[in-house]
Amino acid sequence: MSTTAVRAEAPARDTLAQTALSLPSRAVAVFSGPLGLALKILLLALVNGIAVWAAIVLADAGKWPAFAVLAVTTLALDAAYLVRRALPLKFLLPGTLLMLAFQVIPIFYTVNVAFTNYSTGHILAKNEAVEGIQLNSLAPLENAKSYLMAPARDADGNLVLLLVDEATGDTFVGTREALTPIERDKVQVDELGVAGAEGYTLVTGPGLVAIDRELTAYTVPTDGAAAIRPEGLGVASELAPTLRYDAARDRFVRISDGVVFTDNDRGSFAAASGEELEPGWKTSIGFSNFSRIAKSPLVRDPFLRVFVWTFAFAFLAVLLSFVLGLLLAIALDKPGMRLQRSYRTLLVLPYAIPGFLSLLVWQGLLNDDFGVVNRVTGLDVPWLFDSNWAKVSVILVSVWLTFPYFFLISLGALQSIPAELTEAARVDGGGPWQVFRRVTLPLLLIVVAPLMIASFAFNFNNFGNIYFLTGGGPASSDQTTAGDTDILISYTYKLAFASGKGQDYGLASGVALIIFFIVATISSLAFWRTNALENIR
Amino acid sequence: MSTAEHLETSAAVGLGTRTRRARRRPRVLGGTWWRHVLAILVILWALFPIAYVTSAAFNANQTLGSATLVPERVTLDNFRYLVEGEVPGRPGDPPTEVPYLRWYANTMIIAACTAVLTVLLGALAAYAFSRFRFKGRRLGLLALLLIQMFPQLLLVVAIYLIVLHTGAVFGFIGLNTLTGLILVYLGGVMGVNVWLMKGFFDTIPAELDESARVDGATPAQVFWGVILPLAAPVLAVIGLFSFIGVVNEFVIASVLLQEQDKFTLARGLWGFIDQKYSENWGTFSAGVLLAAPPVVILFLFLQKFIVSGLTGGAVKG
Amino acid sequence: MSRRTAFGALIVVAMLAMIAAALPASAAVSSGAAPGGTLRIWTDKDRRADIDRIAKAWGARRGVTVEVVEKGFGDIRDQLKTVQPATAPDVIIGAHDWTGQLAADGLVLPLSPSAATRKQFPKYALDAFSYGSTVKRLYGAPVALENVGLVVNTRLAAVPKTWAALERAALAFKNRNPDNLAIAVPQAPAGDAYHMYPFFSGLGGFVFGKNRAGNLNPRNIGVANTTFLKNASMIDRWDRLGLINSKVNYDTAKNAFLKGQAAFWITGPWEADTLKQSGLRFRIVQLPKIKFRSVPFLGVQGFMVTRYANTHGVGTLAKDLVASYIMTASSQRALAAANGRFPANLTAGKQVRDTVLAQFGRAGQGGVPMPNIPQMSSVWEELGGAWLKSTNGTATNARPTFQTAARNIRTKIG
C-alpha cells in the first residue's frame, strides 16, 4: 500500500492543479498539427472507401433502396466531419448510427408488426399462400390409385412417367396429355421400383436434378380434374383438387359443395361461416391487435394485478440492489482495511456467471420440499409455491443478480465526491449519518439516479428472471392465466406464444408497444421528480 | 448547506480535492469490524449458488441441485471433456464434438472488441452531452434512456432479420459472424452507459478544458488529452460492464450464431441443457466455471482504476 | 470551404478510389446459397451422424449433393419461420406436434408415400403427422416413437398389476422414510402435462375430442369433461396422502429413483441409458388402469419436406428421400437407434432387441398422439398448471381447478 501512503501525502492543491493543467498542453502537442489532421482524414477516407465498395456491391445485387440509404448516410457523414460547424454531431454520430441500425430500426419494425397479423398461419406472402392452399387441397380420390413410378424419356426425348399400379400391377405410360396402358412385360420392376421399359430411357443420377422442377409440375390427367402426380422419384399418386382458385375474382371455391372462400382482409380466404383456408398470409390489419388486447378478458381481468406487481417488483429489485450495493461500497471504501480487494472480487462473482444459469440454480435451491435452502436453514418456507413467498424469492434473486452492478457503480461514484464537502459538513457539526444523508447521498444520486431509472425499466421487462425462476407461477387465486409472479412481459409471452394457435408476433408486438409506453411514462415522471434532467449543467 | 449548494460547489472545488477523497475521510461510520461482518455475510449469500455450480462441475452425476454440496464421486472429467473438445455420447456412439476452446476464444474476441469500442464511442457521445450546449440535447439524453426501455425480447426478431438481410449482401457482417454480433452489441452503446459517463464528465471541472482551449487545443484534443485520461475510473467501469454483459449475453447470440464454430460461451453451453430431458449439467457447470476467470482477472486489473481513479496517476506522472 | 477542408476532401477522394479498387466486389456476396442440385437437411445433434450417412448414400444414387446442417431441435421449427429462401432447408427433422403449425404456416409440403410403404407404419404414427381441417394430408415421415412409462424398481416393490396395488406399494414405500417419494413424476416448477398424462387419461380426461371426419376439434375440450370431473376427487385423495407431489422437479424425480428413494418413476426412453447404467433392477410397464386405461401421450419424430424444396428445384428429390428412402426399414432402424428411440417402421420395430426400448414401447400401447393442431399451444400450461396446483399438498380442490383450466383454454383458443 505504498502508493496509498504517497497519495495520502498528496501535494497541496495548487501544485496538483498545475500538474493536471499541464496535461492538456502535452496532449495538444501530440494531437495538434499535421498528425491529428492526417489521422482524421485517414479514418474518413477509410469509411468512404468501404462505403464506395459497399455501394458497388449493392448496385451489383440490385438493392437500390439500400444503395440510396448508404449514399445518403455516407454523404451526411462526410459533411459532418468536413464542415467546421456541427461540432457536437462529430462526437455523437458513430454511436448514434449504430443505435439507429440496431435499436431504432428494430423498434420501428416491431411497431410495424404490431399492425399486422404476423402469427402462426400468417407468415407467407399472399401469392405463396395461394400456392400453398392449392397444394394442400389436393386429395386422393376414393379408391385412388398409387403407382410405382420412374421418370423416363421416350424416343423423341420427351419426359414421360413409367407407371405401375401398386394394387393391380397394371403398367402405363403417363404423359402430360394422357395415361396410356402398355404391355406388362415391357416394363421391368425390381425391389427398388420401376427399373426400365422397352423404348424408354430412365432418367437417373444427375439427370434427376435437371428435371426436378419439370417433374414437380408434371401432371398426367386421368379423370376430370384428377391427375397423377409424381410424389418423389419412385412413387406417383392420383390426386384431385378439392378447391378451385378463381384468379380473376381472387377467391377459392370448394368443389364438393360450392362454398366460396373470399379474401377476408385479415390474411385469409374465409367462407361466410367463418371457416378459413390454411395457410393464410401476412398482411396489415390496422388496429385489430390493439382492440383485441382491449377487449380480451385474458388481458383485462388480471391487468391491474399484474401491473401493480410488475411495478413493485421492478421498484423493489432496484431499490434493494442499490441500497445493498451502496452499503457494501461504503463498507469496503476504507483505506487500509484488510482483505478488501478479496471481498470486492468475491462480491463481483455473481455477476461473472451467466444469469440464466444462476436463475436455474436458484430455482432448484429454493424448492421447498427438496431444495437446499430449506434443508440448510431448517426452515419450511414455501419459497416458490406460495404467492407471497414466491414474490419475495423473485425479488431476492433479482437483488442477488443486480447488486454487484450497483456495488461497482457506487464504488466508483464514491471516489468522485470531494472530501472537502464531507469534511466541511463534519466541521458544521454533522454526525456520520447526517453527512451521508446530506452530502454523500445527494451527490451520489446525481450519477446513480439515471442508472436506477434505467435499471427499473430493465427489470420492468425482465423476462428472464421470471421465466427461469418461477415461470410466472404459482397459479393465481383469481383463476386467470396470469400467475402470481407474472410481470407484464412474461404474461405477454404467455398470451402471444402459448395461446391461440401458437406464435402471434403481431399481438406480442402490440403489447410490447403498450408496455413501452407504460414504462416510458413512469420513467419520464421519475426523471422529472428526481430532477435528473435539471441537474445537467 | 442545502443540496443545491453542494451541487454547485462540487463542480467548483476542482480537481485538487478529488485526490484525497476517501483517504482523508474521517471514520464516518465507526470501526472496521462491521465492514467485515457485512462483507462476509453478503459474500456467503452471493457464493451460495455458485458453490452448487462448482459441486456439479466436479460431480460425476450429471444433475444439478442434488441435495448434497459435496460431490458423491469427484471427477475432473467434465473439465477434460471441454478442453479436449469431445463429450462422450451414449454407449456405442461416437463422442459429440464440443469446440469449447473455440467458443472461449470467440467470446474473448467479441467481449474485448465490444468493451473497447463501447468505451470509446460512448465516451465520445458523453463528451458531447457534457461539454456542448446544442439544440435537442436534453431530448437526446432522454431519448437515449427511453429507447432502451423497449422490451428487448421482441426486438430480437427484428435484429435477426436485419442481420440476415445485411448478411445476404455483406457476408462478413451477416449471421454466424463475430463482426455481425459485435455490431449488434454496439447498437446498445448509446444508452445508460452514456449517461453514466456524462455524469462523471460533469464532475471534471470545466476550467481544465477552458485553459486547454485557451492554449489552442481543439475540442477533439481536449477530449483525447484531458477528459479521457481523467475519466479512467468510469471508463474502467463501463468497460467491465460491457465485457461482462457480452460474456453473459445469450438471447441475441443464440439467434445470430447458428454454427458451432461461431458460438459464444453462453450460447454454446446452453446446448448442454436446452434439451429438456437430456441435460449435461456437470459439463455445463464446468464450462460456466471456466468462463469466470477472465472476468475476475479483468476486474482485478481494473479495480485500481475504479477505486483510485486517475488523479493518483497524474500525481505520479 | 476553408483550404484545409478542401485539402482533406481531395485526399478522401483519392483514398476511397484506391480502396474501392482494391476490394473485389464479389468477395462480399455470401456463399449462403446452395449451388443447384444440393439438398439441404436440418437435423438435430443426436441424428446428425446417421442422417449424414443415410442421406449421402441416397444422394450418391440420385446424383445429388447432400448438405447436413446441425441445429438445436427446437430451433429447427423456430428458424424455419424466419429463414431466408437462399439458406432455407429442403428437409427438416421435427416432432409430430409441429405438424399443425408448420402446415398452417404453409411451410411444409404434403407427402404421398406408396401404399406399400404406408402399410409398414402403425396408423397412429401416420395420423400423428397428418393435418388438415378440410383435407387431411400427411406432412411427415415418422421415424421414431417415444412415450413415458412407469419404471418400477423391482428390488423395492413388485410390479403392480392394479392401481390399488400401486397406490398401496407406493404409499408404504414413502412412509418408510421422510426422504422417499411415492411416485416420482416431475412437475415443478411450471407444471408438466406431458408426464402427468397417464394419470389424466386414467381418470377419463382428454385434450381435444374428434369430429365426425376424425379430425381433432379445438372446440371440444375434454380437460374438464364430466367423467373426469366425477373422478377428480381421487386427485384430492392422492394429494392428501402424498402419492403425487407437484414440488418434484425433473432432477428430483430422477435422483430419487436412482438413489432408491423412489420405487416408481414416470419417464421415457431418453433415460434408457441412465437406467441401464444405474445398476438397478427395473421393469417398465404402462401405468395400471385407474378408472380407464392410463395411456401416455405418444410422441413421434420424423422428417418433413419444406416448401423451399420446390423453390430450390429439389422438390421431387426431397420427397423421394423422405417419403421413400427414409421410410424403409433399414433407414428407420439406424435413425431411431441414433437417439435411442423405438423405430416407427413396424418391420424395423420387430428387429429391436433392446429390452428397455421394447418395454417402453409396450407401455405406450393404446396411447394418444399429442394433439398436433396448433391450438395445443393453448393447453400445455393450463393443464400442467391445474395438476401443479391440485397436487401441491395444500388440499386444493381439484375439480374447480380443472374447470378453471378448461375455461382458460377456451378463452385462449378464442
Side-chain angles (χ1 to χ4, degrees):
Chain A
M1 291 303 241
S2 60
T3 47
T4 314
V6 171
R7 270 185 251 144
E9 302 303 315
R13 202 169 140 184
D14 300 343
T15 357
L16 196 97
Q18 267 173 11
T19 324
L21 283 171
S22 69
L23 257 176
S25 30
R26 276 188 284 148
V28 170
V30 174
F31 279 92
S32 62
L35 182 64
L37 185 68
L39 259 171
K40 178 178 154 185
I41 290 173
L42 189 72
L43 264 174
L44 208 53
L46 202 68
V47 169
N48 275 290
I50 293 172
V52 168
W53 164 73
I56 294 171
V57 175
L58 283 175
D60 202 36
K63 311 235 176 215
W64 297 111
F67 180 90
V69 171
L70 179 76
V72 170
T73 315
T74 313
L75 287 177
L77 261 174
D78 285 339
Y81 287 101
L82 287 175
V83 171
R84 277 188 168 241
R85 297 176 49 196
L87 197 54
L89 207 58
K90 294 186 167 81
F91 288 87
L92 289 172
L93 259 180
T96 309
L97 280 180
L98 285 163
M99 179 179 76
L100 283 177
F102 296 109
Q103 295 275 326
V104 178
I105 293 178
I107 289 177
F108 276 110
Y109 172 84
T110 309
V111 171
N112 182 37
V113 169
F115 294 92
T116 70
N117 63 347
Y118 188 27
S119 61
T120 299
H122 299 279
I123 66 171
L124 299 177
K126 187 172 179 184
N127 61 328
E128 295 169 328
V130 169
E131 199 180 293
I133 291 172
Q134 286 171 315
L135 274 179
N136 289 353
S137 82
L138 294 172
L141 299 169
E142 214 148 320
N143 313 318
K145 292 179 177 152
S146 88
Y147 300 86
L148 296 180
M149 183 273 291
R153 297 206 181 269
D154 62 15
D156 301 331
N158 297 319
L159 186 65
V160 300
L161 304 181
L162 297 174
L163 297 162
V164 180
D165 187 321
E166 263 199 293
T168 62
D170 292 340
T171 47
F172 305 90
V173 168
T175 63
R176 284 204 182 78
E177 287 77 40
L179 184 67
T180 327
I182 56 171
E183 287 165 45
R184 270 196 208 197
D185 50 6
K186 279 194 174 170
V187 180
Q188 296 101 49
V189 179
D190 63 13
E191 71 274 16
L192 287 172
V194 180
E198 226 177 284
Y200 297 94
T201 336
L202 286 195
V203 183
T204 54
L208 291 169
V209 177
I211 60 160
D212 192 283
R213 278 179 204 281
E214 201 181 341
L215 211 52
T216 301
Y218 206 96
T219 52
V220 180
T222 50
D223 184 20
I228 298 170
R229 291 159 195 268
E231 289 287 332
L233 295 166
V235 187
S237 293
E238 188 178 9
L239 298 167
T242 52
L243 295 164
R244 193 181 67 239
Y245 181 56
D246 182 348
R249 299 167 74 175
D250 189 27
R251 60 181 208 177
F252 276 94
V253 179
R254 185 151 60 206
I255 293 165
S256 61
D257 54 9
V259 171
V260 175
F261 295 82
T262 51
D263 184 341
N264 68 354
D265 283 334
R266 303 177 52 81
S268 291
F269 285 105
S273 65
E275 188 184 346
E276 292 179 359
L277 299 178
E278 288 173 332
W281 60 94
K282 185 181 163 186
T283 186
S284 172
I285 53 166
F287 283 88
S288 291
N289 285 323
F290 296 96
S291 63
R292 252 170 86 202
I293 294 165
K295 279 184 207 147
S296 166
L298 279 173
V299 178
R300 209 177 43 218
D301 295 351
F303 180 82
L304 194 65
R305 173 171 65 78
V306 175
F307 172 73
V308 168
W309 159 240
T310 309
F311 185 88
F313 160 69
F315 182 77
L316 287 174
V318 172
L319 186 70
L320 295 178
S321 302
F322 170 64
V323 168
L324 185 64
L326 177 60
L327 204 62
L328 287 165
I330 292 173
L332 296 182
D333 186 28
K334 170 84 179 167
M337 181 183 172
R338 296 177 65 182
L339 293 172
Q340 60 174 320
R341 279 173 70 89
S342 316
Y343 286 155
R344 284 181 190 142
T345 311
L346 289 173
L347 284 171
V348 176
L349 267 182
Y351 212 45
I353 304 273
F356 67 89
L357 170 70
S358 313
L359 289 162
L360 289 170
V361 175
W362 271 113
Q363 179 219 303
L365 297 180
L366 289 172
N367 189 306
D368 56 329
D369 280 5
F370 311 102
V372 175
V373 173
N374 276 354
R375 269 172 203 248
V376 168
T377 56
L379 296 170
D380 187 21
V381 176
W383 293 106
L384 300 176
F385 293 92
D386 171 82
S387 166
N388 293 324
W389 278 111
K391 289 176 177 170
V392 170
S393 304
V394 167
I395 291 175
L396 269 181
V397 173
S398 298
V399 171
W400 187 89
L401 284 165
T402 322
F403 86 86
Y405 173 76
F406 283 106
F407 169 65
L408 285 173
I409 302 243
S410 303
L411 210 53
L414 280 178
Q415 311 301 318
S416 68
I417 295 174
E420 267 67 17
L421 289 182
T422 45
E423 263 163 43
R426 259 178 63 79
V427 171
D428 286 354
W433 169 246
Q434 288 262 313
V435 174
F436 172 76
R437 207 179 65 83
R438 295 271 229 28
V439 184
T440 314
L441 190 61
L443 287 173
L444 203 63
L445 279 179
I446 297 178
V447 174
V448 181
L451 307 188
M452 286 176 75
I453 292 170
S455 182
F456 168 84
F458 174 78
N459 273 309
F460 203 89
N461 290 323
N462 199 332
F463 176 78
N465 280 17
I466 305 295
Y467 182 79
F468 285 118
L469 196 63
T470 64
S476 172
S477 53
D478 68 8
Q479 311 232 322
T480 51
T481 304
D484 272 326
T485 58
D486 258 325
I487 57 174
L488 286 172
I489 193 77
S490 68
Y491 185 51
T492 305
Y493 186 86
K494 287 184 184 175
L495 284 183
F497 299 109
S499 69
K501 287 183 172 182
Q503 285 91 342
D504 193 336
Y505 291 104
L507 187 71
S509 303
V511 186
L513 202 57
I514 294 172
I515 294 177
F516 173 65
F517 278 118
I518 293 175
V519 67
T521 309
I522 297 175
S523 304
S524 303
L525 286 176
F527 267 116
W528 184 62
R529 281 286 299 158
T530 59
N531 277 344
L533 276 175
E534 302 309 312
N535 285 327
I536 299 167
R537 284 193 310 154
Chain B
M1 280 169 108
S2 77
T3 314
E5 282 170 88
H6 285 307
L7 297 181
E8 280 163 27
T9 38
S10 75
V13 171
L15 184 69
T17 55
R18 286 166 47 82
T19 30
R20 275 175 279 164
R21 327 155 283 229
R23 316 289 169 207
R24 282 273 183 88
R25 193 174 299 154
R27 295 174 19 160
V28 184
L29 294 168
T32 53
W33 66 269
W34 69 270
R35 298 171 193 268
H36 287 281
V37 172
L38 179 73
I40 289 169
L41 277 180
V42 178
I43 286 169
L44 281 179
W45 177 59
L47 297 190
F48 186 59
I50 297 173
Y52 280 85
V53 177
T54 316
S55 161
F58 288 101
N59 201 334
N61 182 1
Q62 292 269 10
T63 60
L64 183 71
S66 55
T68 50
L69 185 53
V70 183
E72 283 145 42
R73 195 157 63 76
V74 178
T75 172
L76 287 174
D77 283 353
N78 290 321
F79 295 94
R80 208 184 35 145
Y81 299 155
L82 292 176
V83 176
E84 287 174 0
E86 280 183 353
V87 177
R90 52 188 72 243
D93 281 2
T96 317
E97 201 182 310
V98 175
Y100 181 78
L101 297 179
R102 187 68 187 268
W103 300 343
Y104 212 102
N106 290 344
T107 309
M108 292 304 123
I109 294 169
I110 297 174
C113 291
T114 309
V116 169
L117 289 170
T118 298
V119 167
L120 203 66
L121 300 182
L124 281 172
Y127 177 67
F129 281 121
S130 172
R131 288 300 193 266
F132 300 126
R133 293 294 168 271
F134 51 93
K135 236 191 205 167
R137 174 171 163 277
R138 284 177 172 222
L139 195 69
L141 271 170
L142 188 61
L144 286 192
L145 269 196
L146 292 186
I147 282 171
Q148 304 232 324
M149 288 179 188
F150 201 92
Q152 294 289 317
L153 195 66
L154 269 299
L155 298 186
V156 173
V157 180
I159 290 174
Y160 171 82
L161 290 175
I162 288 176
V163 176
L164 185 83
H165 289 297
T166 326
V169 186
F170 305 106
F172 65 101
I173 48 170
L175 296 178
N176 284 317
T177 62
L178 306 190
T179 33
L181 189 61
I182 292 172
L183 276 179
V184 171
Y185 286 152
L186 287 179
V189 162
M190 303 285 277
V192 72
N193 289 335
V194 170
W195 269 88
L196 184 53
M197 284 194 245
K198 177 201 156 286
F200 272 78
F201 291 180
D202 283 350
T203 67
I204 297 172
E207 294 86 61
L208 286 181
D209 314 22
E210 277 152 26
S211 60
R213 295 294 294 274
V214 171
D215 287 357
T218 64
Q221 286 162 344
V222 172
F223 172 74
W224 292 105
V226 183
I227 302 290
L228 270 199
L230 287 178
V234 69
L235 303 186
V237 170
I238 301 274
L240 184 66
F241 284 165
S242 57
F243 190 90
I244 291 176
V246 172
V247 174
N248 288 355
E249 205 285 329
F250 152 71
V251 179
I252 296 177
S254 63
V255 172
L256 296 191
L257 307 176
Q258 295 165 0
E259 285 164 16
Q260 281 242 350
D261 274 358
K262 299 288 162 47
F263 283 177
T264 60
L265 281 172
R267 169 67 186 94
L269 291 171
W270 177 251
F272 285 117
I273 55 165
D274 72 336
Q275 284 175 341
K276 201 170 174 192
Y277 304 125
S278 55
E279 299 114 335
N280 287 312
W281 278 108
T283 320
F284 175 78
S285 303
V288 168
L289 281 188
L290 288 181
V295 174
V296 173
I297 291 168
L298 185 67
F299 174 71
L300 286 173
F301 171 71
L302 291 177
Q303 186 172 212
K304 64 173 187 286
F305 293 102
I306 294 171
V307 178
S308 64
L310 179 96
T311 34
V315 175
K316 272 187 280 177
Chain C
M1 216 192 241
S2 75
R3 256 180 52 206
R4 218 175 76 173
T5 11
F7 173 65
L10 199 74
I11 296 186
V12 169
V13 173
M15 289 290 289
L16 68 84
M18 271 166 57
I19 294 172
L23 289 165
S26 57
V29 181
S30 80
S31 54
T38 296
L39 186 115
R40 194 182 288 114
I41 303 175
W42 281 5
T43 178
D44 61 332
K45 198 185 247 164
D46 284 349
R47 275 162 285 223
R48 161 107 205 222
D50 290 272
I51 193 63
D52 210 49
R53 186 171 48 74
I54 290 169
K56 281 183 178 151
W58 166 85
R61 220 179 71 192
R62 293 302 192 195
V64 59
T65 327
V66 177
E67 182 195 346
V68 177
V69 181
E70 184 184 311
K71 298 264 170 191
F73 193 70
D75 291 342
I76 293 175
R77 176 186 57 180
D78 297 339
Q79 290 179 9
L80 188 63
K81 300 187 179 193
T82 43
V83 72
Q84 242 202 356
T87 51
D90 306 302
V91 170
I92 58 165
I93 190 157
H96 84 263
D97 52 323
W98 304 353
T99 307
Q101 269 195 28
L102 294 182
D105 284 341
L107 292 173
V108 287
L109 300 180
L111 306 172
S112 308
S114 71
T117 306
R118 282 172 178 269
K119 257 184 240 145
Q120 298 177 44
F121 288 81
K123 184 174 176 301
Y124 76 81
L126 295 172
D127 275 352
F129 272 106
S130 300
Y131 174 79
S133 43
T134 41
V135 182
K136 204 167 177 179
R137 302 225 33 201
L138 180 73
Y139 287 93
V143 165
L145 311 174
E146 65 182 28
N147 56 267
V148 297
L150 177 71
V151 190
V152 184
N153 183 330
T154 48
R155 283 228 173 85
L156 300 176
V159 176
K161 294 274 186 290
T162 64
W163 174 255
L166 171 63
E167 225 180 76
R168 237 184 352 260
L171 290 171
F173 181 78
K174 174 186 172 338
N175 293 333
R176 259 192 251 166
N177 186 318
D179 282 341
N180 285 359
L181 296 179
I183 301 177
V185 51
Q187 290 194 65
D192 193 330
Y194 176 75
H195 278 86
M196 290 303 290
Y197 195 79
F199 300 95
F200 183 63
S201 64
L203 293 173
F206 61 92
V207 177
F208 295 119
K210 286 189 175 174
N211 62 17
R212 262 172 299 162
N215 291 325
L216 292 169
N217 178 3
R219 306 255 166 254
N220 178 0
I221 295 156
V223 168
N225 71 69
T226 46
T227 319
F228 177 79
L229 287 183
K230 224 182 310 171
N231 297 327
S233 59
M234 287 186 78
I235 303 173
D236 300 334
R237 194 170 143 265
W238 300 346
D239 189 32
R240 222 167 31 244
L241 296 172
L243 189 70
I244 295 172
N245 179 344
S246 66
K247 290 161 188 171
V248 174
N249 66 20
Y250 193 82
D251 273 337
T252 314
K254 180 174 174 177
N255 283 335
F257 187 83
L258 294 178
K259 284 187 196 156
Q261 290 173 344
F264 303 101
W265 180 25
I266 303 280
T267 195
W270 47 89
E271 295 290 6
D273 290 330
T274 316
L275 284 169
K276 287 178 205 161
Q277 289 161 14
S278 67
L280 300 170
R281 280 180 53 180
F282 63 89
R283 253 186 81 75
I284 303 144
V285 292
Q286 192 167 77
L287 189 75
K289 172 183 162 185
I290 308 174
K291 291 284 181 184
F292 299 86
R293 201 169 162 191
S294 311
V295 296
F297 262 149
L298 299 175
V300 187
Q301 295 169 346
F303 286 85
M304 305 190 221
V305 176
T306 73
R307 66 182 298 272
Y308 301 105
N310 275 350
T311 29
H312 295 164
V314 289
T316 52
L317 283 160
K319 283 181 179 173
D320 182 56
L321 172 66
V322 171
S324 299
Y325 198 76
I326 282 179
M327 289 177 93
T328 58
S330 63
S331 305
Q332 291 263 317
R333 223 174 20 247
L335 287 170
N339 73 337
R341 301 292 194 274
F342 202 80
N345 182 297
L346 292 167
T347 320
K350 286 191 193 112
Q351 296 161 338
V352 172
R353 297 281 166 267
D354 186 321
T355 51
V356 175
L357 283 190
Q359 287 181 27
F360 271 118
R362 278 198 293 279
Q365 277 170 7
V368 181
M370 279 183 276
N372 68 6
I373 55 176
Q375 285 85 354
M376 187 60 193
S377 54
S378 303
V379 175
W380 288 114
E381 175 159 355
E382 295 295 337
L383 184 56
W387 276 109
L388 192 74
K389 201 172 170 190
S390 42
T391 53
N392 69 358
T394 54
T396 323
N397 204 343
R399 197 186 154 96
T401 311
F402 280 87
Q403 280 173 316
T404 306
R407 204 190 59 215
N408 286 346
I409 293 169
R410 227 164 267 132
T411 328
K412 277 180 168 182
I413 289 175

